[in-house]
Amino acid sequence: MRRKVIPPRPPSFYPPYAFSGIIANRHHPPDDVVLLHDESSIARMRNAGRLARRLLDGIANHDVARPGRTTDEVDDVLHELALGSNAYPSPLNYAGFPKSVCTSVNEVVCHGIPDMRRLMPGDVVSFDVSVYLDGVHGDNCATIVVGDFESTEEEEEGGEGGGGGGGGGATNTTNTTTNANTNAKDDAVRKTFASDEEEERFVTARRLTRAALESRDEGVRACRPGGCLTDVGAACHAVADAYGYDTVRHYRGHGIGSDFHCAPFVKHFRNDDAMELLPGMIFTIEPMITEGSPECDEWSDDWTVVTRDGGRAAQFEHTVLITETGVEILTLP
């Protein structure tokens, strides 16, 4: 497998695992200790989150992730975008992960390794983009339906919410639809179908993708200071139920900062984990919604996670900050 090359950069450019692939850190807090970010850390997290979002929008669109292109080629695009922004692509060599972005196609739930498989019309593809910038990580994910240039009425009316990078008390939980689902080309071109089977494939893919988006956004809306982490899982699960889908149990959201993954670990299903949400907490909300069973298996590459029944999966992710008055989405443009 072709390894990525990074021209020499200052030591501060690289996360601790960049060369060794080892993620253990003697300063890493225990899993039951949640760090509260101070204003300096929050400012850096805002910058990393905004950049992660810009890079996600740079690949999770119908011009880059188009039919016939390989996910390895998309990985090349992301890698160069990150370096061009003076940021390190966080997945690269994280515990040995060989690429700069995770690309999960159809039955792949998460951690898909970009390869030479060509994208096909109707594929459901999740792009998980994370960057290391100024000593902290930004992390987000979006799913698109490959070759689907039809924009829905809801997308045309909804658009993007306002930026979430304002002051610490900002609350922004509405209109968070990622523009990875729509661009100028989508608005201009209407999708036509060659057969009833193709139409069904696209329509059901759109529905699954929309469910994952709504699940994430309801999880974000459940966040507030003094609230409970269980509220996030209940909100995400309720959306899956409403669509007749399910939500993966084994993989979760996570705290994030100078460490890529740390406490709190966020379940996207109903649970009884009692943890009060406090100002200064930063974590990801990233439900993985499945058409059928939420049971998963891991391939022999020790990374790729697939649904056991072969059903498709979709995922959206935001990094959020609990503020004194609500929740701030850090991964908005």
Side-chain angles (χ1 to χ4, degrees), residues 141-143 178 181 209 212-213 216 285-287 314-318:
C141 179
T143 299
T178 174
N181 283 329
T209 300
L213 175 65
R216 181 205 64 185
I285 298 175
E286 47 182 306
Q315 180 186 20
F316 285 84
E317 174 186 16
H318 269 320

Side-chain angles (χ1 to χ4, degrees), residues 40-251:
S40 174
S41 178
I42 290 171
R44 289 184 294 144
M45 290 298 295
R46 286 192 182 112
N47 289 335
R50 288 194 195 107
L51 178 58
R53 174 55 185 274
R54 290 198 297 271
L55 298 188
L56 175 64
D57 288 343
I59 64 167
N61 62 69
H62 296 303
D63 291 319
V64 174
R66 61 179 181 266
R69 174 162 275 186
T70 69
T71 52
D72 195 61
E73 290 170 333
V74 176
D75 179 70
D76 287 341
V77 173
L78 185 282
H79 185 79
E80 294 305 318
L81 286 174
L83 295 187
S85 302
N86 200 32
Y88 182 94
S90 298
L92 185 61
N93 210 28
Y94 182 82
F97 190 83
K99 297 291 183 175
S100 295
V101 63
C102 296
T103 56
S104 302
V105 183
N106 294 330
E107 75 276 12
V108 180
V109 174
C110 61
H111 303 163
I113 300 174
D115 59 20
M116 300 307 293
R117 178 195 182 277
R118 296 195 180 278
L119 294 173
M120 302 291 291
D123 280 344
V124 176
V125 189
S126 300
F127 297 96
D128 195 340
V129 173
S130 312
V131 293
Y132 184 75
L133 178 70
D134 195 18
V136 297
H137 297 270
D139 189 9
N140 59 176
C141 179
T143 299
I144 69 167
V145 181
V146 175
D148 189 4
F149 302 140
E150 179 179 356
S151 60
T152 65
E153 181 179 350
E154 291 85 357
E155 286 168 343
E156 291 170 350
E157 293 177 352
E160 274 292 346
T171 299
N172 191 334
T173 60
T174 59
N175 293 331
T176 58
T177 303
T178 174
N179 65 8
N181 283 329
T182 181
N183 58 25
K185 184 175 182 179
D186 299 339
D187 292 335
V189 180
R190 302 299 291 181
K191 177 68 182 173
T192 58
F193 302 105
S195 65
D196 291 344
E197 291 77 11
E198 183 184 58
E199 182 174 10
E200 181 178 5
R201 177 173 172 80
F202 274 89
V203 169
T204 55
R206 291 174 189 160
R207 187 173 186 271
L208 176 64
T209 300
R210 183 171 296 279
L213 175 65
E214 291 180 9
S215 180
R216 181 205 64 185
D217 287 352
E218 288 303 312
V220 172
R221 290 187 182 97
C223 294
R224 59 182 177 83
C228 187
L229 192 62
T230 58
D231 298 338
V232 175
C236 292
H237 205 155
V239 174
D241 283 348
Y243 275 89
Y245 297 141
D246 214 330
T247 175
V248 169
R249 311 305 199 261
H250 190 67
Y251 298 91

Side-chain angles (χ1 to χ4, degrees), residues 232-315:
V232 175
C236 292
H237 205 155
V239 174
D241 283 348
Y243 275 89
Y245 297 141
D246 214 330
T247 175
V248 169
R249 311 305 199 261
H250 190 67
Y251 298 91
R252 305 169 185 180
H254 52 87
I256 187 169
S258 58
D259 288 312
F260 196 179
H261 302 93
C262 58
F265 295 98
V266 183
K267 296 176 179 176
H268 305 110
F269 55 93
R270 294 184 187 90
N271 64 86
D272 57 4
D273 288 352
M275 177 180 288
E276 184 180 1
L277 299 180
L278 301 174
M281 285 184 175
I282 295 180
F283 51 85
T284 68
I285 298 175
E286 47 182 306
M288 303 162 206
I289 305 301
T290 60
E291 288 181 313
S293 170
E295 296 300 317
C296 301
D297 293 313
E298 188 177 82
W299 283 358
S300 59
D301 61 16
D302 294 328
W303 282 107
T304 307
V305 177
V306 297
T307 57
R308 188 167 297 171
D309 64 4
R312 293 172 296 183
Q315 180 186 20

